[in-house]
Amino acid sequence: QKVGRIMSEQPGQTVVGNDSTSHEKRKAGRGLKLVAGIFGCLLGLFVMAAVVIPLVFNVDQYRPQIVAAANQYLNGKVEMGPLSLSLWGKIQVRMQGLKISDSEGRTVVQVDDAGFLFPFMPLLSGKPVLTLGMQRPQINITRDAAGKLNVMSLPKLATEKAPTESEGTPSAPSSTPSSIKLPGMVLTARLGIRIEDSKLTIRDAATDASSVIDHLNFEMKNASLTDTAEMALWGDLAANLGKSIQVAGPFKVESTLTPRVDPQAGKFLGAEVTAKGDFSGLKVEMPGLFLKEPGVPAQFSAGISASPTGAKINSLDFTFFNAMVKSSGSMTMAAGEGQSPILEYQIRSNEVDFSGWSKLIPMLREYELKGQGSFSAQASGPTERIQYQAQVDAKDLSAKAPKLKAIPVMQFSMKVVTDQVEELVFSMKAPGNDLRVKGKVVSFTVPRAEFTVSSSGLDFDQLLVLPPLKSKENVAAESATSSAAKGTVAPKAPVADYDSMLEPLRSNEMASKVTATMDFNLASLKFYDVNMTSIQGRMRFQNLIAALEKASLGVWDGTVRSDFAFDLKPKAPHYRYSLQVADLSLQKAVDSQFALLKNTVLGSANFSMQGTGVSFNQDAAMKNLEAKGSWSVKEATFATLDIGKVAVEAINGAIGKVASKIPGVKDRLLSAPSSRETRYESIGASFIISKGDFKMPDFVAKAKSNGGIDVKGTTEVALKDGYPLKAKWEFIDTYNFTHARDLSIDQAGVKVTNLFAEGNNPVRFPVTVGCKAVDPCFSYTEVPEYLAGIALSKMTKAAGKKVEAAVTKKAEEVVEGIVGKKASPQVKKALKGLKGLLK
């Protein structure tokens, strides 16, 4: 009305009264018609332009220039379909297909329907909006064998761009102003992106794995220098990640970005970012390993602000199932040259109850995991020397297991403070079991660890379901059965090279810097019914030397002490050791299923050994082992070997062979001693191990009075497969335990007593021991010859005396028959001399 009134008024004209009012109304009506006509004409022009311009103006003619310009900035190739223009309410340029390939010719982006929208109204209001839209694009990301992503190498660097026409032409020097005033149109311009129903494929050439994510949507609105930009990523997924992860269900991530710009100076002042995501509706499954059902909470939220002087994390929170993690922090940029940014950061979790996590991790279901855990951490200071600390706690942890008889309850706590573990504490309690570990690690760059292990008692028999021990016979039987079933000899297992396995340790610079000690003090330890007590000592590692120092324990009524040191620096490690055993009951060892001693000697054992060696590989270790020592067993008996029976078998075997030469002994076989067990005051020897041989030059078994047979001799064992044994022992029946000394015969009127004994000495004979040290066999082949020699010698002497007496008597009779009994003294003297000659 105002416009119409102004346009209709004539200078100097005044309207009065009703006629004037009516006249004014008529003029206003004519003005409105004029304005409506003007707008109508403009609208008609816009409609005509919207119809005519796309028909007259061919936007597709610029497609080659657009493609060429795009290719200048890409390490790849852009292919674009025909372009079309629409001006209905907006400027819209549509592409009938867009394809972007990398330098290898692999498709990175491909879409059939894409375009740009440029609405008129925002443009007319001074806030232009440009929106890029894509419908159902396919995006392919490839990671090559070297670990590079094709999308990262797609843009050309500044040095790779094609030269422009002006390059190479010197330009006049110009100065860059410290600030640029941005036009208002630029400040208010906004960019938008909308990608609908896209398909993302990620391939990893190194692992030959691929991941496909379908139904992805992305939208960005109001991206500008002044307005708050809104972004959203959402979808209803049916995705495969790799070969074993399936993801299905809805999710959504939303974020905002609010920039702060000084429009006058054209400076960036800062920005605020908020984000939140909700993945609770997803189902995530790794068959047999992990399962998240829809509805299990999985969310995050963040609030971050940034400026040229630094950034601040107002909040960064995560929630998954019943675990919640909250964090915040800031980064302040360096105030001056040579200074470092300053960091402040804190993170903390709630106390997480582990009992429900078996729903997510199927492997935990049978273990019935229980307990709670939490952690917290913080860091502060310049980035070049950040100070930090962290605390991890777990309490009342427990779990069932098929191999557990009882359920242990564990506590754990660890505090880390800037380059060290200030304190680590672990404890375990169960019926009959108590264990506590405490320690610290000083310096992560040159680590020095100190630990102590203590216990009032550990009973693994009460805690664990232990597999039954296999006897030597059972192992041999199983091996034979297996080989027979296969019809072939069992293949020999490959020999492990333990020395080479240590090469990564030797080549690790950090390992050579590590120093570690562990002191242990266990009141008792029970395992397979073997009860060990007062277990003490120290384990040490320094300069690649591992050592066990002053270790001792009580077992089977005795004590064991040892020291070991292993130098791991040489390719073939060197080691030294010493071992002492005092008053150990071998009977209790055998009763405790200690199979190593089963077929040896029973009694109270003492043992000492010192030595050196090279290499952990069996053959080389045996060859390079050097040692010496001694052993003895007091109040001893042989566990399964009846020395008396062995002696009787040896003598009876000899009698059977001697009978062909001395018929009188044929039926004089000995009976086994009434007592099976032979008893010894002591058994023992010194020994030497050198160049792959074990030698005992002075083995002696001293029998108790009337309790057994003495044994002495030499023994050698080759330290190689099977441990071949070679020993020569002498059995000495000092106390006539076998009654072999009582054996006598009356042959052809000659009586010989103590047939197999030399003079008044006890019966003795040699025995050869062979086969293997773990399964010895005895040979009596020398016994018949040895005993027969003694018997024949004694019989020859007895026969000689009988012949001598008979000849002397016959000579006297002959002489007397010649000269008569009444001979002169001279004749008698001559006869006496003759008798002596006849003898």
Side-chain angles (χ1 to χ4, degrees):
Q1 289 177 355
K2 184 177 180 181
V3 171
R5 185 170 59 252
I6 292 174
M7 294 179 65
S8 62
E9 286 181 351
Q10 299 295 326
Q13 186 176 2
T14 303
V15 180
V16 180
N18 293 334
D19 292 337
S20 299
T21 303
S22 175
H23 180 69
E24 185 176 342
K25 289 181 179 179
R26 286 195 297 272
K27 288 195 294 182
R30 288 195 296 271
L32 286 173
K33 291 179 181 179
L34 178 61
V35 171
I38 292 172
F39 277 104
C41 291
L42 292 174
L43 180 59
L45 290 174
F46 277 121
V47 171
M48 186 180 294
V51 173
V52 174
I53 292 177
L55 297 175
V56 176
F57 181 74
N58 182 16
V59 71
D60 191 54
Q61 64 181 316
Y62 297 103
R63 179 157 50 101
Q65 292 93 324
I66 296 173
V67 170
N71 284 331
Q72 285 186 347
Y73 295 91
L74 292 178
N75 286 313
K77 182 180 179 182
V78 173
E79 300 175 57
M80 188 180 295
L83 302 179
S84 61
L85 176 66
S86 173
L87 298 178
W88 288 102
K90 58 186 177 295
I91 301 174
Q92 182 179 30
V93 178
R94 302 194 67 83
M95 292 176 284
Q96 297 179 21
L98 174 66
K99 181 178 179 181
I100 302 175
S101 305
D102 61 17
S103 59
E104 301 293 328
R106 296 169 298 196
T107 302
V108 179
V109 177
Q110 183 168 359
V111 59
D112 295 332
D113 187 4
F116 295 93
L117 302 179
F118 198 34
F120 288 129
M121 292 307 297
L123 176 63
L124 296 176
S125 65
K127 296 181 179 180
V129 176
L130 177 63
T131 302
L132 168 65
M134 292 186 183
Q135 295 286 333
R136 294 179 294 279
Q138 295 187 19
I139 304 169
N140 300 290
I141 298 176
T142 302
R143 180 176 181 268
D144 61 22
K148 294 182 180 180
L149 295 174
N150 60 344
V151 292
M152 300 303 294
S153 60
L154 196 60
K156 281 185 179 179
L157 300 176
T159 56
E160 298 175 328
K161 292 179 182 177
T164 62
E165 295 179 1
S166 61
E167 286 180 353
T169 304
S171 59
S174 62
S175 60
T176 302
S178 58
S179 61
I180 300 175
K181 185 176 180 180
L182 299 176
M185 186 72 76
V186 174
L187 291 173
T188 58
R190 291 169 291 171
L191 176 66
I193 299 175
R194 184 173 180 87
I195 301 175
E196 299 182 43
D197 200 17
S198 63
K199 181 177 181 180
L200 175 64
T201 303
I202 303 172
R203 292 184 176 87
D204 191 336
T207 60
D208 195 28
S210 63
S211 302
V212 179
I213 301 176
D214 212 345
H215 308 303
L216 274 178
N217 303 277
F218 175 76
E219 183 177 35
M220 180 175 69
K221 299 187 296 185
N222 297 327
S224 72
L225 297 176
T226 55
D227 287 348
T228 297
E230 299 176 5
M231 288 164 282
L233 177 69
W234 75 97
D236 193 350
L237 300 182
N240 295 315
L241 304 181
K243 297 181 179 180
S244 58
I245 303 177
Q246 292 87 43
V247 181
F251 81 98
K252 189 169 188 178
V253 178
E254 298 176 293
S255 65
T256 65
L257 172 62
T258 305
R260 299 196 309 275
V261 178
D262 184 346
Q264 300 300 322
K267 289 183 178 180
F268 173 74
L269 301 179
E272 281 78 35
V273 177
T274 65
K276 62 179 180 179
D278 190 349
F279 304 90
S280 302
L282 288 178
K283 179 180 180 180
V284 182
E285 183 175 9
M286 296 175 63
L289 298 176
F290 181 81
L291 175 62
K292 176 200 172 299
E293 293 284 4
V296 173
Q299 301 161 337
F300 81 90
S301 64
I304 302 172
S305 59
S307 70
T309 59
K312 183 178 181 181
I313 301 175
N314 301 308
S315 65
L316 181 58
D317 303 335
F318 297 90
T319 299
F320 183 75
F321 188 43
N322 62 355
M324 292 178 286
V325 178
K326 296 180 176 293
S327 64
S328 61
S330 65
M331 173 74 79
T332 304
M333 303 306 293
E337 187 176 352
Q339 296 182 352
S340 299
I342 297 175
L343 173 70
E344 296 285 341
Y345 186 73
Q346 305 84 33
I347 184 170
R348 178 181 295 275
S349 77
N350 65 326
E351 189 171 86
V352 180
D353 185 352
F354 298 133
S355 59
W357 283 73
S358 59
K359 298 176 182 178
L360 304 174
I361 305 174
M363 292 188 300
L364 295 179
R365 291 172 186 169
E366 63 177 308
Y367 298 103
E368 297 184 12
L369 179 67
K370 296 180 181 179
Q372 301 84 40
S374 63
F375 76 91
S376 62
Q378 62 183 43
S380 62
T383 54
E384 63 180 11
R385 54 180 185 278
I386 293 177
Q387 304 295 305
Y388 56 89
Q389 69 177 42
Q391 180 76 37
V392 179
D393 295 292
K395 63 180 184 180
D396 299 332
L397 285 176
S398 66
K400 291 177 61 178
K403 298 298 182 180
L404 285 176
K405 291 181 180 178
I407 300 178
V409 178
M410 294 165 284
Q411 318 291 333
F412 176 80
S413 176
M414 182 174 67
K415 183 177 181 180
V416 179
V417 178
T418 309
D419 198 36
Q420 64 178 335
V421 178
E422 188 174 85
E423 184 180 56
L424 184 149
V425 177
F426 170 82
S427 66
M428 183 274 291
K429 290 184 178 293
N433 289 268
D434 171 73
L435 178 67
R436 183 177 177 83
V437 179
K438 186 175 181 179
K440 62 180 181 179
V441 178
V442 179
S443 177
F444 294 152
T445 53
V446 185
R448 187 176 76 253
E450 299 174 4
F451 289 89
T452 60
V453 180
S454 59
S455 172
S456 60
L458 290 173
D459 187 348
F460 290 140
D461 290 339
Q462 193 172 348
L463 179 65
L464 304 173
V465 178
L466 300 173
L469 292 175
K470 294 182 180 180
S471 66
K472 180 178 64 177
E473 293 79 8
N474 288 340
V475 172
E478 289 179 3
S479 177
T481 302
S482 176
S483 298
K486 295 178 180 178
T488 58
V489 177
K492 192 173 183 179
V495 178
D497 188 349
Y498 299 106
D499 295 346
S500 296
M501 291 180 185
L502 295 170
E503 186 58 36
L505 181 68
R506 288 190 288 266
S507 59
N508 190 315
E509 292 184 7
M510 178 63 73
S512 62
K513 299 177 182 178
V514 172
T515 299
T517 60
M518 185 178 73
D519 295 305
F520 53 91
N521 188 351
L522 311 178
S524 65
L525 173 63
K526 191 176 181 184
F527 192 68
Y528 280 111
D529 206 30
V530 176
N531 191 29
M532 293 171 279
T533 59
S534 301
I535 305 168
Q536 300 176 348
R538 165 176 286 190
M539 298 178 69
R540 180 174 57 84
F541 184 87
Q542 185 176 11
N543 193 27
L544 290 181
I545 296 177
L548 177 64
E549 300 174 344
K550 298 180 180 179
S552 65
L553 61 88
V555 62
W556 299 314
D557 296 341
T559 58
V560 179
R561 292 182 174 85
S562 63
D563 287 275
F564 290 84
F566 304 91
D567 188 350
L568 307 178
K569 291 190 293 297
K571 289 188 176 181
H574 293 207
Y575 52 89
R576 57 177 174 79
Y577 59 91
S578 66
L579 179 66
Q580 296 85 36
V581 177
D583 302 325
L584 186 143
S585 173
L586 298 178
Q587 180 63 59
K588 289 189 175 181
V590 173
D591 292 343
S592 298
Q593 306 180 63
F594 195 62
L596 180 63
L597 301 175
K598 182 177 179 182
N599 295 326
T600 57
V601 180
L602 305 180
S604 179
N606 292 273
F607 177 86
S608 67
M609 180 172 66
Q610 303 81 37
T612 61
V614 177
S615 179
F616 293 149
N617 295 331
Q618 182 176 351
D619 292 342
M622 292 295 187
K623 182 179 179 180
N624 295 305
L625 183 63
E626 298 288 332
K628 63 180 180 178
S630 63
W631 66 275
S632 66
V633 180
K634 299 177 182 177
E635 301 295 323
T637 58
F638 285 95
T640 57
L641 178 62
D642 188 344
I643 294 295
K645 182 179 179 182
V646 169
V648 169
E649 288 177 353
I651 295 171
N652 285 341
I655 290 174
K657 294 183 179 180
V658 170
S660 61
K661 299 180 179 180
I662 310 173
V665 301
K666 182 176 181 181
D667 299 322
R668 305 297 300 276
L669 298 177
L670 302 178
S671 299
S674 58
S675 173
R676 176 186 179 279
E677 185 181 84
T678 52
R679 291 169 287 120
Y680 291 85
E681 291 180 1
S682 66
I683 301 174
S686 62
F687 62 85
I688 297 173
I689 301 175
S690 180
K691 297 180 180 179
D693 290 323
F694 174 89
K695 298 180 180 180
M696 287 191 300
D698 54 0
F699 172 74
V700 174
K702 178 62 179 173
K704 282 192 170 184
S705 179
N706 298 317
I709 298 172
D710 293 343
V711 182
K712 66 178 183 179
T714 62
T715 304
E716 294 184 15
V717 179
L719 301 180
K720 58 184 181 181
D721 290 344
Y723 303 102
L725 171 66
K726 182 172 65 176
K728 285 191 174 294
W729 290 352
E730 185 179 36
F731 283 25
I732 307 169
D733 195 357
T734 305
Y735 305 107
N736 199 22
F737 188 72
T738 63
H739 301 288
R741 196 170 182 276
D742 299 336
L743 195 63
S744 62
I745 61 171
D746 191 347
Q747 185 73 28
V750 179
K751 185 172 184 178
V752 182
T753 59
N754 303 331
L755 182 63
F756 294 140
E758 294 184 1
N760 293 320
N761 294 322
V763 173
R764 65 176 68 205
F765 54 88
V767 174
T768 300
V769 187
C771 298
K772 300 178 181 179
V774 294
D775 190 15
C777 53
F778 294 84
S779 173
Y780 312 127
T781 56
E782 300 177 33
V783 178
E785 183 179 351
Y786 181 82
L787 294 181
I790 295 173
L792 291 174
S793 176
K794 296 191 76 170
M795 292 179 65
T796 299
K797 290 180 180 179
K801 289 181 181 179
K802 180 178 180 181
V803 170
E804 178 186 342
V807 170
T808 301
K809 182 178 180 181
K810 189 65 174 177
E812 289 178 347
E813 292 177 352
V814 170
V815 172
E816 289 178 356
I818 294 173
V819 299
K821 293 183 178 180
K822 296 180 179 180
S824 64
Q826 292 81 2
V827 173
K828 288 183 178 182
K829 184 177 180 180
L831 289 174
K832 187 175 182 181
L834 180 60
K835 290 179 181 180
L837 178 62
L838 290 174
K839 289 181 180 180

